[in-house]
Structures are given as structure tokens and as C-alpha cells.
Amino acid sequence: MKTTNPIRGLAPVADLAAIFSAGWICYSVLFDEYLLANDYFLFLSGISLLVMCANLWLGGYSKWRNTSLVERTVRLIKVWAIVFVLMSVVLLFSGHQSPEPRTWLLFTMPLSFAFVCALRAALMGLSLYYHSRPRHRKPVLLVGPAGSVMTVARNLRRNAHEGYGIAGVCRLRPGTAFDAQAMAWLARQVSRKQAQEVWICMPFSDSAVIAPIMHALRHSTVQIRLIPEFAPLRLINFQVNRVSGLHAFDLSVTSMTGWASFSKRLEDIVISALILALISPVMIGLAIGVKLTSPGPIFYRQERVGWNGRPFNMLKFRSMPVDAEKAGVQWGNAKGKTTTRFGAFIRRTSLDELPQFINVFLGDMSIVGPRPERTVFVEQFKEEVPNYMKKHMVKAGITGWAQVNGWRGDTRLDKRIECDLWYIENWSLVLDVRIILATAFKVFTDKTAY
């Protein structure tokens, strides 16, 4: 059974067509000529070659299975950024004194990127249709206890578009010895079912049977995968990694390392600095309003728990009288708390949150992330809410996935935590932009702004 996806092979051809089409259109519009000059034909050839090399390097032509449209788009952005920088350097040292080639490149690169994205989306649709046909799916033999096998089988059927089909099922009874007879039987099943892959599906408690299964299939070229059952564990950013030369299962790890941490911090510095510059007149006005309408400091400093469980002082414009919490702090019931007249206004419009951009600029917080909580309540909630402390694997944020999905203010804490953990698992700069834009639309209309 042939399972190689022929549609994927059209991607380089589509890239070539998109680049030359975009280059020709830009050339025609800018210079009012329809026949490409030799220099521009060479430029397009160079762009095409660099795009293909960058795609081969980043897996743009091979890693199609199990990757989403967003992942492929991000990969294409990386490819085009690399090619644009390299072509800019080539033009700089090519001897062209005229700015026309650089102008042409500035228009050609984004247009060709748009064309390629459109063609890749079309190819992805065709690929999904191709893999949805039973005869084009890669046959998989599932091996393991009935419960684990059925869970994997349901997921395979639910995600049939990824190109895997069930060739057969070999159910193993828990605790059953995997002897020589069972090994021979499994090897025959692989051959009889014409399976191209064997997936070992079982909980870690039955891991002793993995070695005998591997031994039984030692003479087969079938691909073997382990699909461990982790229930009821709550995994965060699970993957297989290498640490000190050893294979390790990352069960609960942060995504904020290396390039991700750098790009997230750069995002926070740039956006917070820009916003602080834009809203500084508003903040000065609010500071004057707070000072004139009630005695006490302008800022209200609250100790909150942030990244890695470390406390920090979160800033807000003071909306309550200075003695409002003399009887002790209370979680929730924001609308029932005493506020000044001006304080009620800035809290209702969320303007009291603006000083937190200072926290972001200083590195205590992030623009987007789980909302921080007071130390005293963290000590309480970590015992009451499953996986509560996991949200501190990233910096606390001014807004987050929970907030834009309606889980803010006096709402269910467990739902907020689930949203926070989803954000940690699925973080990307694109997701941050989505949350920032959604927050901008919701902040003045959300009835739970308190």
C-alpha cells in the first residue's frame, strides 16, 4: 500500500510559480514593462533557490503530517525573513546604484509570501482530502491493553485526516507474560495485516512488556512507536528530549526558554514602552484625579506571586480609601469593596490597571500571561485547585487567555486555571497578538471588569 503523499511534492513547484508570478507582477506595475530584464530574472532565480534551500533546512517540504496551518505559516515566515535578509545583502553588493531593484524586492517579497500562503493552504486542503481516503492511510497495528488501545483507536478515527488508519488490534491482558509464542504471533500479525507501523499503547505500569515486543519485531522493518498512557497526569508541553545524553520525557515544563524567552521579553519591552509613551498623558491625568479625590498615595502596591512562584509588587492606581483593607483582605467580591467615586470609575473602565505596564517594562510581568494572585490566596488555592501552581511557569500578565474567554473577575477559578495551562502549552507570538487584540475590544464593555 502506497502512503507517500504526492501532493506534498507539488510544494516546491507552487513556491516557484508564486515567486515568479509575484516578481513579474511587481516588475510590470513598477516599471510598466512586461518582459523581465535579465537581472531581475536572475534575482527571481536566486530567491527561488534560497526559498527551496531554507524550506529543506526548516522542514517545509517534509514535515507536513501532524503540523497545523499556523505552524506551517510560522515556518514560512522564517523562510521569507531569511531569504529577504540574504537578498538584501546581495543587492547591496551587486553594484546596482539605482534604488529600483530594492523597491522591487520590497514589493515582491510580501506579495510572493501571500501567493505561497494561498497555494500552501490549497495544497493542505488537497492533502487532507487525500489522507481522508482509506486507501491512502498508513496502516497501523495497535498493541496493548484493551482500554489503552481503544483510547488510541478513537483518536485515530477522530484525526483520520492525518493519514493513519487502523490495520488491526492486538489486545494484551494486563499482567500476561509475553513469551516466545506470543512474540511469534505478533510478528505474524504485522505481516498478515500489512502494517507499516506498530503502536505500543499502554500505561507505564505495564512497561515491562515493551522490550519483548521490540524483540518480537526485530526482523521487521515496520516503524514502532510508543503511545504511553499518562492519565490522570496533567501534562504541560510534553515531549521527548535529551538531557545529559539521556532520553527524557518532559512531563511538565515551561516553554519560556531560549529563543521563546528572548522573543517574549522583546515583545514585552517594545509594546510596554510604546504604550507607556502613548498613555503617559492619560496616566498623569489619572494620577492627578486619584490625588485630588482622596488622601493617600497615587499607586496601590499589592504583593502578588509571579514567575517561578516569586513575589513582586504589582502596581495599580489606587481606587479604594487607604484604610479599606484594615479588616483584612478578601478574595473576589470586587463590586462589594469600598471605592472612592473616582476609584469606581477607573476600576469600571480598567484604567486602574494601566500602571502594570510599568511592571511589564521592568520585567516583573508580561503583557500576556496568567493573572497574578496575592500570596495569601496562592497558599490557599494551591491546595484546593488542581495544578494551580503550574500557571507560575510563565510570567504573570496584564491580560490572558482566561480573560478574553470571559473567565475574569468573580468567575470559576478552575476554569481560569485550565485556560492558563492551555496558554502555557500553546504559547506563540501569534497567540499573544490575538489575545492583545481581543482584550482591546473587550476591556471597555466587559461587565466583569471588576
Side-chain angles (χ1 to χ4, degrees):
M1 182 183 293
K2 184 179 179 181
T3 59
T4 301
N5 185 355
I7 296 170
R8 194 177 66 197
L10 297 176
V13 179
D15 288 354
L16 193 67
I19 292 166
F20 271 87
S21 297
W24 179 79
I25 290 172
C26 291
Y27 185 85
S28 301
V29 172
L30 290 173
F31 310 131
D32 197 26
E33 293 184 23
Y34 298 101
L35 186 63
L36 278 173
N38 290 336
D39 286 352
Y40 289 90
F41 182 82
L42 290 175
F43 287 150
L44 286 174
S45 300
I47 292 172
S48 302
L49 181 61
L50 288 173
V51 164
M52 291 181 184
C53 290
N55 268 301
L56 290 171
W57 177 41
L58 296 174
Y61 295 143
S62 58
K63 298 178 182 178
W64 277 38
R65 194 188 296 268
N66 305 331
T67 54
S68 66
L69 182 60
V70 172
E71 290 175 304
R72 296 180 198 184
T73 303
V74 170
R75 193 183 296 153
L76 282 175
I77 291 173
K78 292 178 181 178
V79 168
W80 251 251
I82 292 170
V83 173
F84 178 73
V85 170
L86 291 176
M87 286 304 299
S88 298
V89 172
V90 170
L91 283 175
L92 184 64
F93 294 99
S94 63
H96 282 273
Q97 302 299 323
S98 170
E100 292 179 349
R102 289 186 288 275
T103 304
W104 171 81
L105 183 67
L106 283 173
F107 282 96
T108 297
M109 292 304 293
L111 184 61
S112 62
F113 176 78
F115 284 178
V116 167
C117 285
L119 289 174
R120 288 291 181 92
L123 290 178
M124 186 177 178
L126 290 173
S127 182
L128 292 178
Y129 175 77
Y130 177 86
H131 282 308
S132 69
R133 315 306 296 170
R135 64 193 181 95
H136 295 146
R137 296 177 193 160
K138 182 176 287 190
V140 177
L141 180 67
L142 305 180
V143 181
S148 300
V149 163
M150 295 310 295
T151 298
V152 174
R154 281 194 296 270
N155 277 275
L156 274 175
R157 294 190 182 99
R158 194 180 303 124
N159 298 283
H161 59 275
E162 293 185 359
Y164 294 105
I166 301 173
V169 172
C170 297
R171 296 183 179 88
L172 302 179
R173 294 178 181 175
T176 302
F178 205 76
D179 53 20
Q181 184 178 356
M183 292 183 191
W185 173 79
L186 178 60
R188 288 196 302 272
Q189 289 298 309
V190 171
S191 177
R192 189 167 68 86
K193 301 285 187 181
Q194 295 185 325
Q196 294 186 16
E197 295 195 11
V198 172
W199 291 9
I200 305 171
C201 322
M202 59 184 54
F204 275 121
S205 57
D206 294 334
S207 59
V209 78
I210 296 174
I213 292 176
M214 296 283 288
H215 183 74
L217 301 175
R218 67 193 184 280
H219 299 312
S220 173
T221 59
V222 69
Q223 298 183 64
I224 304 172
R225 302 180 192 270
L226 173 64
I227 313 293
E229 183 181 323
F230 289 102
L233 301 179
R234 179 61 165 86
L235 306 180
I236 299 178
N237 292 317
F238 171 78
Q239 62 180 339
V240 179
N241 213 333
R242 283 187 67 83
V243 181
S244 297
L246 302 171
H247 291 288
F249 285 115
D250 290 346
L251 300 181
S252 181
V253 297
T254 180
S255 56
M256 290 298 117
T257 59
W259 170 254
S261 178
F262 172 79
S263 57
K264 176 77 165 172
R265 181 62 185 138
L266 183 63
E267 168 198 321
D268 288 337
I269 292 173
V270 172
I271 296 178
S272 63
L274 180 61
I275 290 177
L276 285 171
L278 292 173
I279 67 173
S280 55
V282 177
M283 292 185 67
I284 292 171
L286 293 173
I288 294 172
V290 172
K291 198 65 178 175
L292 293 179
T293 55
S294 66
I298 294 172
F299 292 122
Y300 174 55
R301 290 175 170 83
Q302 264 188 0
E303 184 180 272
R304 300 273 179 134
V305 178
W307 194 15
N308 288 330
R310 297 179 186 140
F312 70 97
N313 286 320
M314 189 178 77
L315 298 176
K316 287 187 176 186
F317 281 121
R318 184 173 55 82
S319 60
M320 300 184 296
V322 290
D323 60 349
E325 294 183 333
K326 63 181 180 181
V329 296
Q330 179 185 2
W331 187 81
N333 192 30
K335 293 184 179 180
K337 292 179 179 178
T338 304
T339 61
T340 65
R341 182 175 297 181
F342 186 73
F345 164 71
I346 62 174
R347 185 179 287 191
R348 184 172 60 252
T349 55
S350 298
L351 292 172
D352 62 327
E353 308 280 358
L354 292 182
Q356 288 165 44
F357 287 105
I358 300 174
N359 286 117
V360 173
F361 188 76
L362 295 176
D364 297 324
M365 295 177 65
S366 182
I367 298 291
V368 181
R371 286 295 290 163
E373 191 51 80
R374 293 192 184 191
T375 307
V376 61
F377 295 125
V378 169
E379 293 300 315
Q380 173 188 342
F381 296 150
K382 72 180 184 181
E383 302 294 341
E384 299 176 352
V385 182
N387 302 301
Y388 181 83
M389 291 301 292
K390 300 296 185 184
K391 76 171 193 171
H392 300 111
M393 296 172 72
V394 297
K395 285 184 181 179
I398 296 176
T399 185
W401 186 245
Q403 284 65 47
V404 298
N405 281 281
W407 300 106
R408 59 176 293 176
D410 297 337
T411 54
R412 286 179 55 180
L413 195 54
D414 60 327
K415 293 293 186 181
R416 276 192 259 172
I417 295 303
E418 277 304 309
C419 287
D420 291 339
L421 298 185
W422 185 91
Y423 170 77
I424 294 171
E425 287 184 287
N426 296 276
W427 175 84
S428 68
L429 291 176
V430 174
L431 179 60
D432 276 1
V433 172
R434 282 179 56 194
I435 293 172
I436 291 169
L437 293 176
T439 301
F441 283 106
K442 291 175 72 81
V443 68
F444 291 108
T445 58
D446 196 338
K447 293 181 180 180
T448 59
Y450 274 87

